[in-house]
Amino acid sequence: MALCGRRETTNIAFGRTLRGQSAVKHILQSMEDTTHLLRLKLVPVQGVPMLKLTADNWPEIEATQARPDDLIIATYPKAGTTWVSEIVDMIYNSGDAEKCKRDAIHVRLAFIEATFPGLPTGVQQLNAMKPPRLGKTHLPAQLLPQSFWDKKSKIIYVARNAKDSAVSYFHFYKMAKVHPEPGTWPEYLEKFMAGDVAFGSWYDHVKGWWQKTRDHPILYVFYEDMKEDPRREVLKLLRFLEREVSDEVLEKILHYTSFQEMKSNPMANYRTIPDELMDQNVSPFMRKGITGDWKNMFTVAQNEKFDEDYVRKMSGSTLQFRTEL
């Protein structure tokens, strides 16, 4: 079943279509002061640290009603969410790059837990979509709304090694102002290791979703595998989605979802979000997109401490990650 080329999401707040940054800018301009929405402390939801706006809207998120033909992309933050989202949208639109520029990626896929005053929530965006609906989430497996498990909705989970995840998330924390202040890199690294960051522990996240592959239709893919051989991994996605494309379309998908193409695409690089919320002058949303950048941040002492902690927290798990290619 093909995805509708014009997947527009109704902006309930304005009674018109939400397009790019216009609605967000309108909201920000109508507020005399947005500081009360930024750099807020995390709030626990069932023991998991969450952004306050998300925590405040938890009843609606938890009650999300899934459909059997929904497709959800789940990741720990900064693990290739946008990359896989763009690949999936390209697959559903048969490699038509223009259709995939119909709107910003955060509108084309509903971010289930997204909440911002005056704008439709991620749940409202999902509800406004025509099937088959595309969504994404950073929620750990135990917090995914129960209906997705009940309806057996397909899920693609993307996992990235802990060290690169920590570095990428640190830079994201600095530029995405809905997060608390990250502090210095050494301070942030301690928080990451302790799971005191939005969406909680990386270790619990990757292990929790790995365990769910035993009894749910989940394709568990690794960021490092995608970097090593994008063609092979896109073919895995196609098989999981039960779709076929020609060699020509496959080449288009690979080309338009390359890091450099997406970095220059305003419908994929989050340039539609105003600097008041995501200041890409501090750090680009699409920064490097490589494996092994952790070597540029970790000191020898930090790396040794991290490795010791990693062994303890991943003990007993069959998950294996690569930290370099």
Side-chain angles (χ1 to χ4, degrees):
M1 182 163 48
L3 180 72
C4 176
R6 287 180 56 81
R7 180 182 292 278
E8 297 185 339
T9 305
T10 302
N11 181 342
I12 299 168
F14 297 105
R16 60 180 174 79
T17 301
L18 174 60
R19 302 290 296 181
Q21 78 182 130
S22 59
V24 182
K25 277 200 167 183
H26 183 96
I27 288 291
L28 291 171
Q29 289 168 358
S30 69
M31 293 181 177
E32 294 182 2
D33 182 14
T34 59
T35 56
H36 65 291
L37 301 173
L38 308 178
R39 298 304 186 191
L40 302 177
K41 291 183 179 180
L42 300 176
V43 176
V45 173
Q46 299 178 29
V48 178
M50 302 291 287
L51 299 173
K52 185 179 186 304
L53 293 172
T54 297
D56 289 347
N57 190 42
W58 188 248
E60 181 191 58
I61 296 166
E62 190 175 35
T64 303
Q65 293 302 302
R67 297 174 183 171
D69 57 355
D70 287 344
L71 175 66
I72 301 299
I73 297 168
T75 70
Y76 192 77
K78 305 307 294 179
T81 324
T82 303
W83 187 12
V84 176
S85 296
E86 192 74 11
I87 291 172
V88 168
D89 197 37
M90 286 283 289
I91 289 173
Y92 275 39
N93 282 284
S94 303
D96 189 326
E98 290 308 309
K99 285 184 180 179
C100 293
K101 291 179 181 178
R102 65 194 180 277
D103 214 328
I105 189 66
H106 57 86
V107 177
R108 286 180 275 146
L109 276 83
F111 186 13
I112 293 170
E113 58 268 26
T115 307
F116 194 81
L119 290 175
T121 64
V123 175
Q124 290 170 335
Q125 282 186 262
L126 188 69
N127 290 340
M129 286 181 169
K130 295 179 180 179
R133 308 183 305 179
L134 294 181
K136 68 174 184 178
T137 184
H138 292 317
L139 294 173
Q142 73 271 23
L143 292 186
L144 187 73
Q146 182 61 38
S147 62
F148 289 103
W149 305 121
D150 295 341
K151 297 294 185 181
K152 294 289 184 181
S153 306
K154 283 189 173 182
I155 298 170
I156 298 169
Y157 185 81
V158 193
R160 189 181 192 182
N161 79 78
K163 292 178 182 179
D164 281 324
S165 292
V167 170
S168 187
Y169 206 8
F170 171 65
H171 289 288
F172 185 66
Y173 245 70
K174 290 198 296 183
M175 62 86 79
K177 299 176 185 178
V178 294
H179 295 77
E181 288 286 356
T184 64
W185 163 244
E187 291 170 340
Y188 178 83
L189 185 58
E190 291 293 327
K191 293 176 185 175
F192 181 90
M193 291 167 64
D196 188 21
V197 291
F199 301 102
S201 163
W202 175 92
Y203 310 92
D204 293 344
H205 208 282
V206 296
K207 289 190 294 184
W209 280 99
W210 181 247
Q211 187 173 11
K212 280 292 187 180
T213 62
R214 300 173 183 174
D215 54 18
H216 193 86
I218 298 173
L219 178 65
Y220 201 105
V221 298
F222 295 89
Y223 183 92
E224 294 74 29
D225 291 349
M226 292 181 62
K227 294 301 297 184
E228 181 181 62
D229 192 340
R231 176 187 293 272
R232 178 190 64 206
E233 300 306 303
V234 170
L235 288 172
K236 283 184 186 177
L237 294 174
L238 284 163
R239 286 194 294 270
F240 180 69
L241 298 174
E242 301 178 85
R243 290 171 181 267
E244 294 182 3
V245 298
S246 66
D247 289 342
E248 180 183 2
V249 168
L250 178 59
E251 288 303 319
K252 286 182 179 179
I253 292 171
L254 292 169
H255 172 74
Y256 286 107
T257 60
S258 68
F259 183 80
Q260 290 305 319
E261 282 293 319
M262 288 183 62
K263 185 167 184 167
S264 63
N265 177 3
M267 294 295 101
N269 64 16
Y270 275 76
R271 288 286 179 183
T272 57
I273 301 294
D275 289 346
E276 291 92 337
L277 295 179
M278 295 176 65
D279 191 350
Q280 300 208 37
N281 297 307
V282 172
S283 178
F285 177 82
M286 302 194 70
R287 199 174 57 89
K288 292 185 178 180
I290 62 174
T291 295
D293 188 45
W294 62 269
K295 296 179 181 179
N296 298 315
M297 292 289 288
F298 279 71
T299 65
V300 172
Q302 286 172 344
N303 190 46
E304 290 176 351
K305 181 178 180 179
F306 194 94
D307 284 347
E308 291 175 3
D309 185 63
Y310 185 94
V311 169
R312 285 193 300 272
K313 289 175 177 169
M314 296 297 284
S315 176
S317 174
T318 57
L319 273 171
Q320 297 291 324
F321 287 87
R322 292 184 288 169
T323 56
E324 53 187 309
L325 296 177

